[in-house]
Amino acid sequence: MSKPLRTAAQVLVDQLVIQGVRHVFCVPGESYLPVLDALRDRDIAITVCRQEGGAAIMAEAVGKATGRPGVCFVTRGPGATNAAHGIHIAQQSSSPLIMFVGQVDRGVRGRDAWQELDYRAVFGSMTKWSAEIDDPTRVSELVARAFHIAASGRPGPVVLALPEDMLREQVTVVDAPPVTPVEAALDVHVAGKLMQLIADAKYPFLLLGGSRWDEAARAAITEFAERCHLPVATGFRRLPLFDPLHPNYAGDLGLGANPKLVERVRAADLVIVLGERLSEVTTQDYSLWDIPAPQTKLVHIYPDTSEIGRVWQPHLAINATPKGIAPLLANTLGTTIIPWRETPIAAHAEYLAWSEAPTPQPGPVNLAEIMIWLREHLPEDAILTNGAGNFAAWVNRFYRVRRFGGHFGPNSGSMGYGVPAAVAMQRLNPGRRVVAVSGDGDFLMNGQEFATAVQYGLPVIVLVFDNS
């Protein structure tokens, strides 16, 4: 049977549906009008944003929340450069994101035509892949590749440029099937080495971070920590990966970390790092261990081999995703006589002492008191978002994220994240309470997306702190 003629834009939208996309964020522009036409009457919710930076952040938040690429569309030139804000956040947060950007007609490229940019050059250093679709017969192939690249290994952003004249061409092509990211896992030989390292340790520590998690992986790694009596810390802005009230939780290794926690990690003779890429903030300005050969035995479990050994050479490197390895860790490691059984109890007590009561502050407003009020009054499934600024240190220290997917912040330390991320999370979770915590300058950077919340009837709450 012959395939029906479709415009390249229709092929693209069909591919989005096949890949399971249910939300698209955009600022409309004439450079991709054929796609907007093709999106009509499809089972995809379109959120029209006020600025491209907000649209890209919303898509990044969806990618971070679901593990599947968030999708945004922006117009050429100024639209794309506005969106660079969200692209860089996705890159540093390891979030799967695909940005489609309009491009000038193919016949005028290279002339510095109106709003023309070389998107491979502009976004090449902050994406996993940047490309331009010149041939309409390759739309389904290249869009499927974008989904594979964005979600596989260490997830990240992809940019695909779409020449406007290409989108209007009619073609007969076969659709690409849905993409399923590969889940690298633990093999028996490596599991034995890890078990031996744990058995030989006197003071082991477990550090969680990164992406490629889900609720099942979180539950499994909790069981692993319980069975091995491991104290557990979360990396920078990865608070939802472990219940803060669990007796094995030792705290957050982010900005303003508990000094006692930092010293515990430094003193550990075995550190198992799962999912975290060992960024500057989590490692306290790269000061936790000697570079490049740590004296501490370091086990680095990460889904992308290009990241393992970037700064520290681990004693045991394991190429695996949290979703792939966590169930195996929970089921593989046997129970042994554990000399450090009391260690997580002491570490958790230090965390509670650090975060339980507000610290004195000058002035009429104490952010610690506000964070404690929020943790006591918001429902357990509430979602908190925040941008960047000193105010966020109080979120890390005093607020307690009880559920997976309960907190979203920019790992790049980028201001302006909280409001658009809250809009996206309320769009994705209409039945949950969503609260954005922002500084005053942080709010103003993308505060225009508050109008998007109003337009779509999204009941987000925004707390704005000035420097008083």
Side-chain angles (χ1 to χ4, degrees), residues 238-254:
R238 302 299 182 181
L239 298 173
L241 297 183
F242 208 84
D243 185 348
L245 294 186
H246 190 284
N248 288 59
Y249 187 64
D252 159 61
L253 267 179

Side-chain angles (χ1 to χ4, degrees), residues 114-300:
W114 191 56
Q115 297 184 337
E116 181 181 1
L117 282 176
D118 180 348
Y119 295 104
R120 296 181 186 90
V122 171
F123 292 104
S125 67
M126 66 176 92
T127 59
K128 291 187 71 178
W129 182 46
S130 297
E132 189 166 307
I133 305 180
D134 295 329
D135 183 351
T137 66
R138 298 188 64 190
V139 169
S140 58
E141 169 203 344
L142 297 179
V143 171
R145 185 194 298 181
F147 275 85
H148 173 74
I149 291 174
S152 297
R154 175 189 171 187
V158 168
V159 170
L160 283 182
L162 309 169
E164 186 177 1
D165 61 319
M166 183 278 297
L167 291 171
R168 292 192 295 264
E169 287 192 12
Q170 292 189 324
V171 291
T172 301
V173 294
V174 176
D175 290 317
V179 169
T180 301
V182 176
E183 296 294 344
L186 183 68
D187 65 51
V188 176
H189 176 66
V190 174
K193 288 185 176 181
L194 180 57
M195 289 171 62
Q196 191 60 52
L197 284 171
I198 293 175
D200 292 343
K202 292 183 174 59
Y203 179 23
F205 205 97
L206 178 60
L207 173 60
L208 308 178
S211 49
R212 305 293 298 270
W213 289 85
D214 60 14
E215 290 195 54
R218 181 183 190 259
I221 212 64
T222 300
E223 182 181 346
F224 168 63
E226 289 170 348
R227 290 180 63 188
C228 294
H229 297 271
L230 298 172
V232 181
T234 50
F236 180 47
R237 290 191 171 141
R238 302 299 182 181
L239 298 173
L241 297 183
F242 208 84
D243 185 348
L245 294 186
H246 190 284
N248 288 59
Y249 187 64
D252 159 61
L253 267 179
L255 294 171
N258 184 352
K260 291 186 178 180
L261 171 61
V262 175
E263 288 310 308
R264 279 192 176 275
V265 177
R266 285 202 178 109
D269 61 348
L270 171 66
V271 177
I272 303 168
V273 179
L274 174 55
E276 173 64 34
R277 68 181 180 88
L278 297 176
S279 65
E280 178 180 2
V281 178
T282 295
T283 62
Q284 309 299 298
D285 295 325
Y286 301 110
S287 68
L288 288 181
W289 311 290
D290 295 332
I291 299 173
Q295 298 302 304
T296 300
K297 286 187 171 64
L298 178 65
V299 177
H300 196 184

Side-chain angles (χ1 to χ4, degrees), residues 317-460:
I318 301 175
N319 179 210
T321 67
K323 285 195 288 187
I325 198 173
L328 297 171
L329 289 175
N331 296 325
T332 301
L333 297 177
T335 303
T336 59
I337 297 174
I338 299 173
W340 59 84
R341 191 179 297 269
E342 302 302 317
T343 300
I345 298 173
H348 186 61
E350 289 173 356
Y351 161 71
L352 292 177
W354 174 253
S355 63
E356 190 66 28
T359 51
Q361 300 291 329
V365 177
N366 187 331
L367 268 67
E369 292 177 351
I370 293 170
M371 291 302 127
I372 291 170
W373 188 95
L374 289 174
R375 83 185 186 203
E376 292 175 350
H377 289 82
L378 289 177
E380 278 195 11
D381 68 346
I383 298 173
L384 213 68
T385 68
N386 64 262
N390 289 339
F391 71 92
W394 278 268
V395 177
N396 299 343
R397 179 171 174 178
F398 293 101
Y399 187 74
R400 290 175 181 160
V401 181
R402 300 299 310 282
R403 297 285 185 87
F404 183 77
H407 175 253
F408 295 87
N411 291 74
S412 63
S414 181
M415 295 174 69
Y417 184 88
V419 173
V423 171
M425 289 303 96
Q426 195 74 80
R427 199 82 157 110
L428 208 63
N429 305 280
R432 294 172 69 175
R433 171 63 66 207
V434 179
V435 178
V437 181
S438 302
D440 50 357
D442 176 53
F443 174 81
L444 287 171
M445 287 195 179
N446 273 315
Q448 72 279 349
E449 301 306 338
F450 195 85
T452 305
V454 172
Q455 177 182 346
Y456 290 93
L458 304 173
V460 300

